[in-house]
Amino acid sequence: MKIKAAIITEKSGPFIFREVEIDEPRDDEVLVKVVATGICQTDAHIREQSYQTPLPIILGHEGAGIVVKVGRQVKNIVPGDHVVMSYPYCGHCSQCLSGHESYCLHGFELSFGGHRLDGSNAIHDGIHGHFFGQSSFASCAVTNERNLVKVSQDIPLELLGPLGCGIQTGAGTVLNALKIPAGSSIAIFGTGSVGLAAIMAAKIAGATKIIAVDISKERLDLAAELGATHIINGRQEDTRQRIMALLPHGVDYVVEVTAQPQMLSLAVDVLAMPGQVALVGGPPEGTQVSIDMNRLLNGRIVRGVIQGDSVPQIFLPQLIEFYQAGQFPFDRLISFYSFDEIEEAFSDIRSGKTIKPVLMID
């Protein structure tokens, strides 16, 4: 069948809209009509080739839509279901079998390889697809059943796409990876969609001090509205001094979203014993950081987190319940664009004009 897709053909190049041919779903796959898709910073990283993903490619990995067809082996999804597409995993490696799907041993290839695990591609004409197992910058996507989370038809699909990656990552880092206890303190470095999701999750968890750090007054103001108890503008004050004035022994947890080496060093520097830093932001390959090793000797932990340690089929319904209860108003982060406004949406996220752009495909 023919679909409309936005394609990147060269490093830092423009999106080119083309009609391309896509295969029918295989036995374990599902064809989804994409209704809307979020734009994530990772899409921008690949456009700029910070990670060596093959070109030309159809990006997009925060898709939500309606199931059109299912393969013969698909058991839990039927045509007409509303679904959110999340990250891919193989389902059979040691990490997947032990419940750590976001650390699938084949996860990087499945997300960034531009093809299925066997090297085949559902997209024709030399165009790479299967970005994060979906390539949702298109009118339809072929994806594996494992990628899908069935959602209620009572909630607008255009709201739900970003749950599958960025918002899941921020909230899951706090609730699943760090598992912060009530009464603890936490600092979030970077208040884009991931950081703001982490702030809302920290409020749900019962943190008593939630410190938002950024250089954007508008985002910091929103952080305060969404649950931050303290805000620090790194352009106007010394972040370390302010945190240590609030918490002389340091902060219990830090979520580092900026992917700036100096911010990861600072996160360790302001960490209490035996606190934890979660590195969430993705820097360019080869990025190095300097950390005083003696800080780590005192029980402090630095760990990376992918997708918030989330199992999407379990965690996304929980986030939707929090949203319906008024505890997780992630819709305040979203700005809508038509599919043809994809360049404007990327420009607005780069400039900070919008936090979470969502493209209306249908």
Side-chain angles (χ1 to χ4, degrees):
M1 62 178 291
K2 297 286 188 179
I3 64 171
K4 179 182 178 181
I7 302 166
I8 288 293
T9 62
E10 60 183 355
K11 178 180 178 179
S12 303
F15 284 95
I16 298 172
F17 286 97
R18 280 183 52 187
E19 190 177 69
V20 298
E21 189 172 347
I22 188 171
D23 287 337
E24 295 286 312
R26 290 181 173 182
D27 285 351
D28 61 347
E29 291 180 333
V30 176
L31 178 66
V32 177
K33 180 182 180 182
V34 182
V35 171
T37 180
I39 295 176
C40 177
Q41 191 61 44
T42 303
D43 296 305
H45 288 328
I46 302 307
R47 184 183 191 180
E48 296 157 8
Q49 289 288 279
S50 296
Y51 303 120
Q52 295 301 307
T53 297
L55 301 176
I57 193 168
I58 303 170
L59 299 177
H61 64 285
E62 292 185 340
I66 301 171
V67 173
V68 177
K69 293 182 181 180
V70 301
R72 291 178 296 179
Q73 297 175 5
V74 174
K75 298 178 181 179
N76 300 311
I77 301 290
V78 299
D81 281 347
H82 286 201
V83 293
V84 170
M85 292 181 275
S86 191
Y87 66 84
Y89 55 94
C90 75
H92 55 74
C93 73
S94 58
Q95 296 287 40
C96 289
L97 293 176
S98 62
H100 299 98
E101 289 91 337
S102 62
Y103 303 100
C104 171
L105 297 179
H106 303 287
F108 190 88
E109 184 178 0
L110 285 167
S111 292
F112 299 102
H115 51 69
R116 298 185 181 97
L117 201 55
D118 65 3
S120 65
N121 207 308
I123 310 294
H124 293 205
D125 304 321
I127 306 298
H128 295 279
H130 305 279
F131 183 62
F132 274 72
Q134 54 180 282
S135 286
S136 58
F137 289 172
S139 55
C140 286
V142 168
T143 187
N144 194 282
E145 182 181 14
R146 287 187 295 271
N147 280 60
L148 299 178
V149 180
K150 184 177 176 180
V151 296
S152 170
Q153 298 189 15
D154 296 334
I155 304 175
L157 270 171
E158 57 265 28
L159 291 179
L160 299 182
L163 289 180
C165 183
I167 291 173
Q168 168 177 260
T169 296
T173 297
V174 172
L175 298 175
N176 301 327
L178 296 177
K179 295 183 172 66
I180 72 169
S184 57
S185 59
I186 185 169
I188 291 88
F189 289 2
T191 57
S193 61
V194 175
L196 291 169
I199 287 168
M200 290 186 281
K203 183 178 179 181
I204 291 170
T208 51
K209 279 191 172 59
I210 304 172
I211 304 168
V213 180
D214 207 299
I215 57 175
S216 166
K217 179 183 183 302
E218 292 75 18
R219 293 191 178 192
L220 288 170
D221 289 343
L222 181 56
E225 294 176 22
L226 294 176
T229 59
H230 301 81
I231 59 174
I232 299 175
N233 190 320
R235 277 191 176 142
Q236 299 176 356
E237 54 189 323
D238 186 299
T239 300
R240 184 189 184 282
Q241 288 183 5
R242 178 74 187 286
I243 290 176
M244 300 311 291
L246 291 169
L247 296 159
H249 298 292
V251 63
D252 297 324
Y253 301 93
V254 180
V255 178
E256 206 306 281
V257 189
T258 71
Q260 299 295 319
Q262 68 272 22
M263 295 304 290
L264 181 57
S265 296
L266 177 62
V268 175
D269 203 29
V270 300
L271 198 61
M273 297 185 294
Q276 291 189 56
V277 173
L279 173 62
V280 178
E285 290 181 312
T287 301
Q288 303 291 313
V289 64
S290 176
I291 294 174
D292 183 344
M293 294 170 62
N294 287 292
R295 298 290 294 174
L296 300 182
L297 281 175
N298 291 299
R300 297 176 177 88
I301 296 171
V302 178
R303 59 158 301 186
V305 179
I306 296 176
Q307 294 289 343
D309 278 15
S310 305
V311 178
Q313 291 77 10
I314 296 173
F315 191 54
L316 297 196
Q318 293 174 350
L319 291 182
I320 291 171
E321 287 185 8
F322 288 139
Y323 169 71
Q324 291 175 315
Q327 298 175 285
F328 193 72
F330 71 92
D331 55 336
R332 296 192 59 188
L333 313 182
I334 293 174
S335 299
F336 294 105
Y337 297 78
S338 70
F339 194 13
D340 293 337
E341 293 175 318
I342 188 169
E343 293 287 3
E344 180 182 346
F346 267 84
S347 176
D348 287 350
I349 195 172
R350 184 168 55 248
S351 68
K353 182 178 179 180
T354 188
I355 293 172
K356 174 54 68 175
V358 170
L359 300 175
M360 302 295 294
I361 306 297
D362 182 40

